[in-house]
């Protein structure tokens, strides 16, 4: 200490100390700043001005007597869907698209497609729907591929299907079709929120210069349609419906498997493993299980992905693809494999948290129960578990939030590109929210990073609500525990 | 004992009843089948966790073994010396001007339409001298004279230029099922050695004799259980190449399709991102820990702690998005356009932000475990608060901080999504943090993200990388855990 005072005296030492205190404070500020910037950046991307343009100008689609699209009849709209061609002479609405719309809207779609195609129009159409009398015996198959010269086939099918659509489908549905498939909105450029607010004039000038025909509008990438629609090749029409459902399926499977196993293991380790009269070998085994769980919790998540790929996707393919269950899947890259992989990943977390909850139950409670003559099983089931339950649930919620955000193992197990179909069984191909964020962030096309930001908001809101419920649960539990003790 | 004897004294009859009762079934430990079953079931639950470790070890080990023992057949290449010739014109290439023994530049007779038949890095031969091409332009070549220990000599104008080309060894002539002699194109025999295995179509042969002058091989047909068959001329020959662990751990090129299986490009990228992550996270995390444990009031703590917890709760893919869309553009603004869109610096820095809470919370525990007496003693000796922290508290907590550091490394090495999004897609052995380079985890995600087919070298290599990753993180975790346990017990 002597040399220190020689160097500068107390005042200087104090000053150095104050500087360092500021440095420590700055570290905290830096961490908080990083979080704030992260959140701001996400919000900044998820909202903003967009320049959009219609592929086909609605003004060119007015009827002969000058009525705009929404005033035209179903027949006229069906005609537009049938006849409007792009620059290369191809129709905007493919025949298959028209046919699918027809099936969705009119036919009894409860039947599987194979049965459906052999129905005649007379059988397929619900009473009250109209079709030319002479078509009554035509099957749906014949409607799509009429028995005429090959060169005329498509034109004939288009004409017939359009006629049926015009007669049987509401004007509103056809209007939607014309807007989504013919008019089509294309995204030219997207600006983030801060630019949209502070540099409005600049944006307007640029848009006027670069895209004179485009319209500028303020867009929230996070909206109701975003939650309802599946993914798409267009940023504007992309949604997270399939990913949300995939996340749900994956969670149900993961929790369904790991919850009983995890709680069971925790009860065993806390209530039975420490018995003094256990055999020496059993004690060794118990110790090994404990160490093993601690180490498993530190294994990088991608290792679980590789494990899932080798075990669930590949080795257990007959089970996970659904072939054993007679669902005829082709490979093991299903939501079941994903759920099982995730179950293994969160198992150690569930066990460790549940162990802590059980350990927190006062020993007096167990002793009291034993003293009243309860067996050990009765003590665990009626005294220990009810008290430990809220704590265990908190742990489960925490592991759920881990499972929701985990990406790497599911990319390895899932590997699917874009999926448009809702998962409807454990054997469906799947995508989940974080995988969508990954793919959209990596997508260089205009607008997809904004879609990723909107997805991140949904994901963070989900996580936040889970964590808040965990905190509420914990607080209520500790309040009650104080009252009872 | 005294009490027991007292009971035995006057009321011996009563004691006997008690003893009988104890022996009788009613008070004895009764077998409880239900309890035993439940207990067994619960034990099984615990064993599942062991099963998952075994699963990890077995899958990683088994497939890595396949990777290291798999004999992948590669086309036999040999070095052939040929007259340099412009392929499309059939024009021979020769010196356009004489050169002496010191000249490092040479010009060639070339037709205007000709494409340059010589590329950079290639070995060319003029007379008995070999030269390595440094730069190759139509106007002239820059060469390194006297390559391969040949002597630099003067060469007159119009000296023919020969080039070394890598060629694939093909069957020189048709062979029947009984032939034991293989004819090869000139110079190809040098690529074979006695006892080598060769594969042609499905058949495997063993080389018994090499005749380099006449370019013939004598072989034993139908090795390894394959059947001798007729082979037509021009069939490519393959030789086996197994990856050795030594090659895997020391090689500096990664391209499984071409047989380059050195882990260093991937490992190096992992080490670089980890380095930058720790460079950010260690000082900031330590600063936060010191602030929380030495300065903060309980009110401030209750504000700061949730911020850290929120940072922990953010999924890593979100940090990846942050790195790619915010950190990289920021670095490009600060440093300049030499920052590539994908770079290890940006990924490392954001990873550092992610690890700050981990380091902070473990270091804070370590600082909190330092006895109060130590601080008081230091203050009593006249040290300021800062001096106390630097000279008394930090040295006492150093093992705990070390544990935090190791755990941070382990997390950074295993972190996947940030590097998959921001660090680059493609192995690149570079020490430049502004360039993209794929890490081990990033590689696993990219390779398995496509529809990978099983039992290919790509698929098996995933497991070898995974095993290395697993062992690395396990080592860091174990050491870190051991240190943490020691100071917890000590305090």
């Amino acid at each position: 200490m002597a040399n220190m005072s020689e160097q500068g005296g107390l005042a200087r030492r104090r000053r150095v100390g104050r500087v360092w205190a500021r440095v420590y404070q700055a570290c905290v500020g830096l961490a908080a700043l990083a979080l704030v910037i992260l959140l701001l950046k996400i919000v900044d991307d998820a909202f903003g001005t967009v320049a959009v343009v219609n592929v086909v100008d609605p003004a060119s689609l007015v009827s002969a007597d000058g009525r705009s699209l929404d005033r035209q009849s179903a027949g006229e709209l069906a005609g537009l869907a049938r006849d409007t061609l792009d620059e290369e002479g191809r129709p905007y609405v493919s025949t298959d698209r028209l046919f699918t719309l027809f099936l969705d809207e009119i036919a009894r779609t409860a039947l599987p497609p194979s049965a459906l195609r052999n129905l005649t129009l007379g059988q397929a159409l619900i009473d009250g729907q109209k079709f030319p009398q002479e078509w009554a015996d035509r099957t749906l198959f014949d409607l799509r591929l009429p028995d005429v010269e090959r060169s005329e086939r498509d034109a004939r099918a288009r004409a017939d299907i359009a006629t049926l659509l015009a007669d049987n489908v509401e004007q509103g549905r056809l209007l939607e079709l014309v807007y989504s498939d013919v008019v089509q909105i294309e995204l030219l450029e997207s600006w983030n929120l801060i630019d949209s607010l502070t540099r409005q004039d600049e944006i307007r000038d640029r848009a006027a210069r670069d895209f004179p025909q485009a319209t500028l509008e303020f867009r929230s990438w996070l909206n109701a349609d975003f939650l309802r629609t599946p993914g798409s090749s267009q940023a504007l029409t992309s949604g997270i419906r399939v990913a949300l459902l995939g996340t749900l399926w994956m969670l149900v499977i993961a929790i369904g498997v790991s919850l009983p196993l995890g709680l069971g293991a925790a009860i065993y380790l806390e209530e039975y493993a420490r018995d003094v009269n256990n055999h020496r070998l059993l004690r060794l085994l118990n110790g090994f299980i404990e160490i093993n769980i601690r180490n498993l919790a530190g294994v990088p998540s991608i290792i679980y992905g590789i494990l899932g790929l080798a075990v669930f996707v590949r080795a257990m393919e007959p089970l996970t693809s659904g072939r054993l269950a007679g669902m005829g899947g082709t490979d093991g890259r299903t939501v079941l494999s994903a759920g099982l992989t995730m179950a293994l990943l969160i198992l150690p977390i569930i066990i460790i948290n549940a162990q802590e909850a059980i350990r927190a139950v006062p020993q007096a409670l167990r002793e009291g129960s034993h003293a009243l003559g309860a067996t050990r099983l009765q003590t665990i089931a009626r005294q220990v578990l009810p008290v430990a339950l809220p704590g265990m649930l908190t742990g489960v919620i925490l592991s759920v939030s881990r499972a929701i955000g985990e990406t790497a193992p599911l990319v390895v197990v899932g590997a699917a590109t874009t999926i448009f179909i809702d998962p409807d069984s454990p054997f469906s191909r799947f995508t989940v929210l974080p995988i969508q964020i990954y793919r959209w962030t990596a997508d260089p096309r205009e607008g997809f990073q904004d879609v990723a930001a909107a997805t991140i908001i949904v994901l963070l809101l989900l996580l936040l609500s889970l964590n808040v419920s965990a905190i509420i649960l914990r607080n209520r539990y500790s309040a009650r525990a104080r009252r009872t003790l | 004992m005294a009490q027991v004897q007292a009971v035995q004294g006057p009321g011996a009859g009563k004691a006997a009843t008690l003893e009988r009762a104890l022996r009788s079934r009613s008070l004895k430990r009764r077998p409880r089948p239900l309890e035993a079953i439940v207990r067994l079931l619960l034990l099984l639950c615990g064993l599942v966790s062991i099963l998952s470790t075994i699963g990890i070890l077995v899958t990683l080990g088994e497939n890595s073994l396949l990777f290291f023992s798999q004999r992948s057949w590669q086309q036999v290449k040999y070095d052939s010396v040929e007259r340099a010739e412009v392929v499309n014109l059939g024009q021979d290439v020769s010196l356009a001007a004489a050169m002496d023994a010191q000249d490092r530049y040479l010009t060639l007779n070339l037709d205007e339409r000709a494409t340059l038949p010589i590329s950079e890095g290639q070995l060319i031969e003029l007379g008995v001298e070999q030269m390595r091409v440094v730069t190759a332009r139509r106007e002239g070549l820059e060469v390194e004279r006297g390559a391969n220990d040949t002597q630099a000599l003067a060469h007159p104008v119009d000296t023919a230029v020969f080039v070394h080309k890598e060629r694939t060894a093909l069957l020189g002539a048709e062979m029947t099922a009984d032939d034991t002699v293989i004819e090869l194109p000139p110079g190809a025999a040098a690529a074979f050695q006695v006892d080598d295995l060769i594969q042609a179509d499905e058949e495997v042969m063993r080389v018994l004799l090499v005749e380099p002058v006449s370019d013939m091989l004598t072989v034993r047909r139908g090795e390894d259980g394959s059947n001798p068959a007729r082979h037509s001329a021009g069939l490519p020959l393959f030789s086996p190449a197994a990856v050795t662990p030594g090659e895997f751990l020391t090689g500096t090129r990664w391209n499984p399709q071409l047989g380059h299986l050195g882990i260093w490009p991937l490992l190096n990228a992992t080490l670089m991102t980890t380095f930058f992550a720790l460079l950010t996270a260690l000082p900031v995390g330590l600063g936060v820990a010191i602030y929380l444990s030495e300065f903060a009031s309980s009110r401030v703590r209750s504000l700061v702690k949730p911020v850290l917890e929120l940072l922990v709760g953010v999924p890593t893919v979100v940090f990846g998005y942050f790195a790619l869309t915010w950190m990289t553009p920021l670095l490009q603004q600060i440093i300049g356009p030499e920052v590539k869109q994908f770079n290890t610096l940006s990924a490392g820095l954001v990873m550092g932000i992610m690890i700050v809470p981990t380091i902070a919370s473990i270091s804070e525990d370590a600082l909190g475990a330092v006895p109060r007496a130590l601080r008081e003693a230091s203050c009593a000796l006249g040290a300021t608060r800062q001096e106390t922290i630097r000279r008394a508290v930090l040295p006492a907590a150093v093992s705990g901080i070390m544990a935090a550091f190791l755990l941070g490394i382990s997390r950074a090495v295993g972190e996947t999504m940030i590097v998959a999004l921001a660090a680059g897609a493609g192995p690149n052995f570079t020490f430049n943090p502004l360039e993209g380079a794929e890490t081990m985890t990033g590689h696993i995600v990219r390779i398995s993200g496509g529809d990978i087919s099983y039992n290919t070298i790509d698929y098996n290599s995933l497991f070898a990388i995974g095993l290395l990753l697993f062992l690395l993180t396990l080592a860091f975790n174990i050491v870190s855990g051991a240190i943490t346990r020691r100071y917890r017990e000590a305090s």
Side-chain angles (χ1 to χ4, degrees):
Chain A
M1 293 292 149
N3 61 346
M4 230 177 249
S5 44
E6 275 163 34
Q7 273 167 15
L10 195 58
R12 190 174 160 277
R13 283 164 56 200
R14 286 242 168 90
R15 212 163 47 237
V16 171
R18 274 198 297 276
V19 170
W20 274 103
R22 288 271 171 265
V23 171
Y24 300 138
Q25 220 168 8
C27 287
V28 175
L30 211 61
L33 187 70
L35 185 67
V36 170
I37 293 178
L38 174 65
L39 296 178
L40 272 183
K41 169 71 187 158
I42 293 164
V43 172
D44 192 26
D45 270 359
F47 305 92
T49 308
V50 288
V52 291
V53 71
N54 294 321
V55 172
V56 174
D57 187 1
S60 71
L61 297 176
V62 293
S63 62
D65 51 353
R67 276 171 299 126
S68 65
L69 273 179
D70 41 338
R71 285 163 183 270
Q72 294 181 25
S73 71
E76 285 166 306
L77 290 171
L80 282 177
R82 183 188 61 205
D83 295 335
T84 321
L85 304 178
D86 65 14
E87 288 135 17
E88 290 161 35
R90 284 188 309 244
Y92 281 109
V93 190
S94 72
T95 314
D96 271 337
R97 177 96 169 92
L98 283 177
F99 190 56
T100 319
L101 182 74
F102 168 68
L103 289 184
D104 283 353
E105 289 289 307
I106 316 172
R108 304 172 201 266
T109 39
L111 291 169
S114 54
L116 201 60
R117 45 193 260 161
N118 292 324
L119 287 185
T120 61
L121 274 180
Q123 294 165 321
L125 292 191
I126 302 159
D127 297 337
Q129 291 179 326
K130 290 173 285 184
F131 55 92
Q133 265 321 298
E134 63 273 21
W135 290 7
D137 293 332
R138 290 181 71 181
T139 61
L140 293 182
F141 183 66
D142 173 51
L143 187 71
R144 175 68 188 89
L145 294 170
D147 187 17
V148 288
E149 281 291 311
R150 198 188 180 135
S151 55
E152 291 174 28
R153 252 190 200 174
D154 201 53
R156 172 79 184 278
R158 288 185 75 79
D160 290 354
I161 297 167
T163 311
L164 287 169
L165 285 175
D167 287 346
N168 297 298
V169 178
E170 284 170 24
Q171 190 256 0
R173 185 73 192 86
L174 286 168
L175 189 65
E176 212 175 284
L177 175 77
V178 170
Y179 266 115
S180 69
D181 285 38
V182 180
V183 174
Q184 286 184 54
I185 303 169
E186 197 182 333
L187 177 68
L188 292 175
E189 185 149 1
S190 153
W191 290 270
N192 54 27
L193 182 62
I194 294 174
D195 283 352
S196 306
L197 294 178
T198 56
R199 295 168 43 208
Q200 265 171 341
D201 297 335
E202 233 173 283
I203 290 174
R204 215 172 294 130
D205 292 348
R206 249 209 80 199
R209 191 178 69 237
D210 294 350
F211 332 105
Q213 72 286 52
T215 46
L216 283 180
E217 55 186 61
F218 187 82
R219 179 181 168 89
S220 158
W221 289 89
L222 181 67
N223 53 44
D225 277 344
F226 180 68
L227 299 176
R228 278 201 300 257
T229 53
S232 155
S233 56
Q234 291 265 334
L236 283 173
T237 48
S238 280
I240 52 169
R241 172 200 176 94
V242 179
L244 268 176
L245 289 172
T247 294
L248 270 182
W249 270 98
M250 186 271 298
L251 273 185
V252 167
I253 295 169
I255 293 299
V257 172
S258 64
L259 186 64
L261 286 177
L263 295 190
I267 295 170
Y268 176 79
L269 288 174
E270 286 304 313
E271 296 292 324
Y272 289 103
R274 292 187 226 292
D275 271 7
V276 273
N277 47 5
N278 272 343
H279 191 270
R280 201 157 52 85
L281 276 179
L282 189 62
R283 252 184 295 168
L284 217 64
L285 180 69
N286 294 335
F288 184 61
I289 295 179
E290 288 261 6
I291 295 171
N292 182 47
I293 289 169
R294 294 285 179 289
N295 279 332
L296 273 183
V299 171
S301 61
I302 192 161
I303 300 286
Y304 284 98
I306 301 185
L307 177 72
L309 179 66
V311 174
F312 299 128
V313 174
R314 192 177 168 202
M316 291 167 61
E317 186 178 315
L319 176 73
T320 49
S321 68
R323 224 175 299 133
L324 271 186
M327 307 281 280
T330 48
D331 73 5
R333 294 188 183 279
T334 56
V335 71
L336 179 61
S337 298
L340 292 175
T341 307
M342 198 52 87
L344 288 188
L345 197 153
I346 58 176
L347 189 60
I349 309 172
I350 292 192
I351 296 179
I352 291 173
N353 281 310
Q355 265 184 291
E356 264 160 31
I358 297 175
R359 213 174 297 151
V361 176
Q363 196 60 28
L365 215 59
R366 294 189 186 86
E367 282 159 5
S369 172
H370 285 310
L372 288 174
T375 67
R376 197 161 195 188
L377 203 57
Q378 287 165 336
T379 306
I380 294 173
R382 296 185 197 165
Q383 307 301 327
V384 178
L385 286 190
V387 177
L389 197 64
M392 295 200 308
L393 278 183
T394 314
V396 171
I397 293 176
L398 289 179
S399 58
V400 166
S401 43
R402 172 84 190 270
I404 288 183
E406 200 56 75
T407 322
L410 296 187
V411 175
V412 175
V413 171
T417 44
T418 319
I419 298 176
F420 304 103
I421 308 160
D422 292 349
D424 56 359
S425 79
F427 311 115
S428 312
R429 296 180 71 84
F430 71 100
T431 182
V432 292
L433 289 175
I435 291 188
Q436 284 313 115
I437 296 173
Y438 169 52
R439 300 224 183 276
W440 280 329
T441 305
D443 200 322
R445 287 174 293 173
E446 186 70 37
F448 275 100
Q449 296 196 340
D450 303 341
V451 179
T455 316
I456 289 176
I457 292 186
V458 175
L459 183 66
L460 290 184
L461 285 179
L462 258 177
L463 289 174
L464 195 69
S465 56
L466 276 172
N467 280 315
V468 166
S469 58
I471 290 170
I472 291 175
L473 203 63
R474 193 167 58 194
N475 290 348
R476 275 186 58 180
Y477 158 63
S478 51
R480 206 178 61 189
R482 266 197 302 278
R483 272 203 307 279
T484 47
L485 289 179
Chain B
M1 283 308 269
Q3 274 178 349
V4 174
Q5 270 166 8
V7 170
Q8 268 176 353
K14 233 179 190 177
T17 330
L18 192 66
E19 211 177 307
R20 253 203 314 284
L22 276 169
R23 287 221 187 101
S24 80
R25 286 179 59 86
S26 62
L27 274 179
K28 236 181 163 180
R29 191 182 168 78
R30 256 180 294 179
R32 300 185 191 282
L34 183 62
E35 168 126 19
I37 292 171
V38 169
R39 191 182 171 140
L40 192 68
L41 277 179
L42 294 179
L43 174 61
L44 285 180
C45 292
L47 288 179
V48 168
S49 71
I50 292 193
L51 216 62
S52 117
T53 306
I54 294 175
I56 290 176
L57 289 177
V58 168
T59 27
L60 290 181
E62 185 192 351
N63 286 287
S64 302
L65 266 185
L66 268 180
F67 174 72
F68 287 121
S69 64
Q70 189 181 43
R71 188 186 286 158
S72 64
W73 294 94
Q74 280 161 0
Q75 296 200 335
V76 182
K77 306 274 195 207
Y78 66 96
D79 199 26
S80 89
V81 184
E82 295 163 29
R83 251 191 111 97
E85 158 182 299
V86 181
V87 181
N88 44 348
L89 299 170
Q91 178 201 26
D92 280 348
V93 178
S94 52
L95 279 188
M99 61 192 296
D100 60 33
Q102 280 83 43
D103 276 346
R104 287 184 48 239
Y105 295 90
L106 56 90
T107 47
L108 302 171
N109 287 319
L110 273 186
D111 193 280
E112 277 174 11
R113 291 163 296 162
T115 47
L116 192 67
I118 295 168
S119 52
E120 285 170 13
Q122 213 171 18
L123 213 54
I124 59 175
E125 246 179 83
L126 286 94
V128 291
E129 186 194 344
Q130 296 188 1
M131 307 176 193
R132 174 81 59 193
V133 180
V134 181
T135 51
R137 294 216 183 78
R138 286 189 51 87
E139 308 85 74
L141 303 181
E142 185 189 347
V143 293
E144 182 193 308
R145 300 293 300 266
N148 284 346
D149 293 331
T150 53
Q151 200 180 351
L153 299 167
H155 302 285
V157 68
D158 285 339
T159 307
V161 178
F162 289 82
V163 287
H164 283 245
K165 276 190 182 152
E166 205 181 53
R167 297 258 175 198
T168 315
L170 306 171
L171 267 189
E174 183 181 319
M175 61 192 299
T176 65
D178 306 322
D179 277 343
T180 55
V181 174
I182 298 180
E183 286 177 39
L184 293 170
F192 294 92
Q193 285 179 337
V194 174
D195 238 25
D196 275 355
L197 285 179
I198 315 175
Q199 192 194 41
D201 277 344
E202 301 288 300
E203 188 192 341
V204 180
M205 308 174 225
R206 189 175 292 279
V207 178
L208 300 179
L209 189 67
V210 182
E211 291 166 68
V213 182
S214 54
D215 284 305
M216 308 249 250
L217 302 176
T218 310
V219 294
R220 187 161 62 223
R221 305 290 300 268
E223 287 280 293
D224 273 12
S226 60
N227 292 319
R230 204 190 130 270
H231 302 297
S232 49
L235 190 74
L237 297 174
F238 292 82
S239 65
V243 195
T244 62
E247 236 176 275
F248 178 70
L249 290 177
T250 56
T252 54
R253 286 177 74 185
W254 180 269
N255 191 339
Q257 298 303 326
L258 296 180
H260 299 300
L261 289 156
I263 191 70
W264 272 100
L266 305 178
L267 188 57
N268 180 56
T270 296
L271 294 181
M272 296 237 297
T273 48
T274 305
F275 173 75
F276 287 114
L278 268 300
L279 199 66
T280 324
L282 196 63
V284 177
L286 204 54
V288 171
I290 293 175
Y291 181 77
L292 284 181
S293 96
E294 308 291 324
F295 293 95
S297 64
S298 64
R299 209 173 58 86
V300 175
R301 282 172 66 91
S302 68
L303 278 173
V304 175
K305 279 267 175 183
V307 170
L308 294 181
E309 273 169 23
L310 273 176
L311 268 179
V312 173
V314 174
T316 60
V317 69
V318 177
F319 281 109
Y321 161 90
F322 188 55
L324 189 66
T325 63
W326 189 79
M327 187 59 91
T328 302
L330 183 74
L331 290 176
Q332 279 168 339
Q333 270 180 18
I334 296 174
I335 301 176
E338 63 266 32
V339 179
K340 300 274 172 18
Q341 196 202 351
F342 300 104
N343 62 80
T344 42
L345 179 61
S346 156
L349 292 179
V350 172
M351 206 191 276
I353 297 175
M354 186 193 84
I355 300 175
V356 163
T358 310
I359 302 235
S361 87
I362 297 182
S363 306
E364 197 204 334
D365 283 352
L367 293 173
V370 174
R372 205 180 152 74
L374 211 62
R375 292 188 181 83
E376 284 164 356
S378 170
C379 290
L381 286 173
T384 64
R385 205 177 194 185
Q386 165 60 19
E387 286 156 6
T388 304
I389 292 169
R390 266 204 33 212
R391 307 212 166 181
V393 180
L394 280 184
V398 79
S399 67
I401 293 167
M402 196 65 207
F405 179 63
L406 290 176
L407 192 71
I409 293 183
S410 154
R411 282 205 61 189
V413 168
E415 167 48 40
T416 311
M417 293 325 286
I418 297 177
V419 291
L421 277 170
N428 183 8
F429 189 53
T430 174
F431 292 99
N432 182 354
L434 307 182
E435 271 181 32
E438 194 167 57
T439 66
M440 296 198 283
T441 49
H443 184 73
I444 295 176
V445 160
R446 182 171 63 90
I447 291 298
S448 58
D451 271 332
I452 189 168
S453 25
Y454 305 133
N455 287 335
T456 54
I457 192 111
D458 267 340
Y459 178 81
N460 289 332
S461 73
L462 288 187
F463 295 87
I465 302 173
L467 185 64
L468 183 61
L469 196 63
F470 179 73
L471 293 179
L472 274 179
T473 50
L474 188 70
F476 285 125
N477 284 343
I478 287 178
V479 175
S480 155
I483 296 175
T484 318
R485 215 166 307 126
R486 215 177 50 194
Y487 82 75
R488 278 216 180 114
E489 275 159 16
S491 63

